[in-house]
Amino acid sequence: GSHDTMTYCLDKSSAVSGNESKLVKFLNKCLPCIVHPIIMKWSITQVLTVTEQLEAGVRYLDFRIAHKANDPSMNLYFVHMVYTTVTVQDILWEILRWLETHPHEVVIIACRNFDGLNKRLHNHLVACIKEIFQCKLCPRYVVPTLRTMWHLGHQLIVSYEEEVQLEKHCELWPPIPYWWGNKTSTRALIRYLERMKRMGRPGKFFVAGINLTENLRYILVHPFGSLKKMTLQSLPCLKIWIKQQYPGPKTKCINIIAGDFIGNNDFVKDVIELNTKINPPLHC
């Protein structure tokens, strides 16, 4: 999985999200030439496009969806402190084109946050999802084995964090829990993930997030840093942790693993290879 999938196309001229703190908005308004570049450095979590991520092997997409304040249109964007240059609808069409050329691949989309969305905009978003993907959407009453989904022509599972829409549409799946450590150090993040494992895995889909998270103190101590530098420094230790994991239904097993800058350091390959622990490769 890729954490904050769409941050590769954040808009450098975008206003700060309406969901951010008053302090961040105030500083960005008073000192835009200084504050805005800092926001960009610590907001970008991916550099590969959504198609490139799918080609790399990512199968879980983390979509933080928002509507811009004071925007009279129905356009929806992705957001991580600032908004993206592309709309949600454009990316959904891009995913459809990829699925059509890869008919045996299954993708999970987690629609989250919904900054600035009202009932009308939720209805619009769900209508777009259903119109674009149609029978490729796997309803939540289907047990989603690959064999079943291939047989029925389903290729997409859409998780949606809004109860009203879930009740109205069987094509939407419940929110997928995300283990977010909110840590600035690799050791602290691994301790958090191990603690969550000891508590027992959820019964259905869930995500172990191996992404580090900056805070104001960390940014001030590392004035020339960025989220990318922070992530790349952590990858060797996290690579060891990933290889130690075990997939499956048991209490301490891992399900989806999501990270930042997924094109680096064999992250996707290491996660996929975990499946050989329960499905040994065939030697023909």
Side-chain angles (χ1 to χ4, degrees), residues 135 137-144 152 154 156 170-173:
C135 62
L137 289 169
C138 179
R140 62 176 174 268
Y141 55 76
V142 172
V143 178
L152 297 174
H154 301 320
L156 192 70
C170 67
E171 296 87 352
L172 302 178
W173 287 62

Side-chain angles (χ1 to χ4, degrees), residues 22-37:
K22 291 180 180 178
L23 176 61
V24 171
K25 292 178 189 174
F26 174 76
L27 291 174
N28 187 58
K29 189 174 181 179
C30 294
L31 302 165
C33 295
I34 298 173
V35 175
H36 210 74

Side-chain angles (χ1 to χ4, degrees), residues 10 16 71 206 216 222 247 266:
L10 293 179
V16 173
D71 182 356
F206 73 100
L216 182 59
H222 301 82
D266 295 328

Side-chain angles (χ1 to χ4, degrees), residues 200-218:
R201 58 154 291 167
K204 299 182 180 179
F205 292 121
F206 73 100
V207 183
I210 62 161
N211 48 290
L212 294 175
T213 306
E214 81 290 347
N215 54 34
L216 182 59
R217 181 177 179 276
Y218 188 93

Side-chain angles (χ1 to χ4, degrees), residues 22-259:
K22 291 180 180 178
L23 176 61
V24 171
K25 292 178 189 174
F26 174 76
L27 291 174
N28 187 58
K29 189 174 181 179
C30 294
L31 302 165
C33 295
I34 298 173
V35 175
H36 210 74
I38 294 172
I39 288 174
M40 295 299 294
K41 282 200 306 178
W42 293 98
S43 298
I44 295 172
T45 67
Q46 306 295 341
V47 292
L48 299 184
T49 68
V50 71
T51 297
E52 289 169 341
Q53 291 180 39
L54 292 169
E55 288 290 334
V58 166
R59 294 297 178 267
Y60 166 89
L61 304 174
D62 176 22
F63 283 175
R64 316 293 178 93
I65 296 172
H67 182 257
K68 293 180 180 179
N70 304 316
D71 182 356
S73 76
M74 299 282 281
N75 289 337
L76 298 175
Y77 296 85
F78 304 95
V79 67
H80 189 215
M81 293 196 76
V82 294
Y83 302 100
T84 55
T85 55
V86 300
T87 66
V88 172
Q89 200 165 1
D90 287 342
I91 294 301
L92 296 180
W93 283 112
E94 186 175 339
I95 293 168
L96 175 67
R97 288 191 292 271
W98 189 87
L99 290 174
E100 287 177 335
T101 56
H102 299 79
H104 283 154
E105 296 298 328
V106 173
V107 173
I108 300 171
I109 294 177
C111 297
R112 310 169 61 194
N113 278 42
F114 301 126
D115 179 15
L117 269 71
N118 54 26
K119 182 179 178 181
R120 179 164 163 261
L121 289 167
H122 274 294
N123 290 338
H124 171 66
L125 174 57
V126 174
C128 286
I129 291 170
K130 292 173 70 171
E131 178 190 353
I132 291 169
F133 296 108
Q134 299 185 27
C135 62
K136 291 188 183 296
L137 289 169
C138 179
R140 62 176 174 268
Y141 55 76
V142 172
V143 178
T145 66
L146 287 176
R147 189 185 304 277
T148 300
M149 294 185 73
W150 289 338
H151 175 69
L152 297 174
H154 301 320
Q155 287 185 267
L156 192 70
I157 290 171
V158 177
S159 134
Y160 204 88
E161 289 193 357
E162 210 275 330
E163 287 187 15
V164 174
Q165 298 299 326
L166 281 175
E167 292 173 2
K168 289 164 59 177
H169 303 282
C170 67
E171 296 87 352
L172 302 178
W173 287 62
I176 296 176
Y178 194 107
W179 289 357
W180 177 52
N182 193 20
K183 306 295 183 186
T184 58
S185 80
T186 312
R187 287 184 180 181
L189 176 60
I190 290 173
R191 283 197 300 269
Y192 163 80
L193 292 171
E194 287 298 317
R195 185 170 71 251
M196 295 299 289
K197 281 171 58 183
R198 287 193 297 272
M199 293 168 62
R201 58 154 291 167
K204 299 182 180 179
F205 292 121
F206 73 100
V207 183
I210 62 161
N211 48 290
L212 294 175
T213 306
E214 81 290 347
N215 54 34
L216 182 59
R217 181 177 179 276
Y218 188 93
I219 293 172
L220 293 174
V221 173
H222 301 82
F224 302 107
S226 67
L227 192 57
K228 187 170 186 178
K229 287 182 183 178
M230 187 184 189
T231 299
L232 295 184
Q233 289 168 1
S234 72
L235 284 179
C237 287
L238 289 170
K239 183 183 178 78
I240 295 169
W241 182 85
I242 289 170
K243 290 193 169 192
Q244 294 170 343
Q245 302 315 301
Y246 204 94
K250 295 180 182 177
T251 304
K252 293 185 180 180
C253 286
I254 286 295
N255 186 216
I256 299 166
I257 302 178

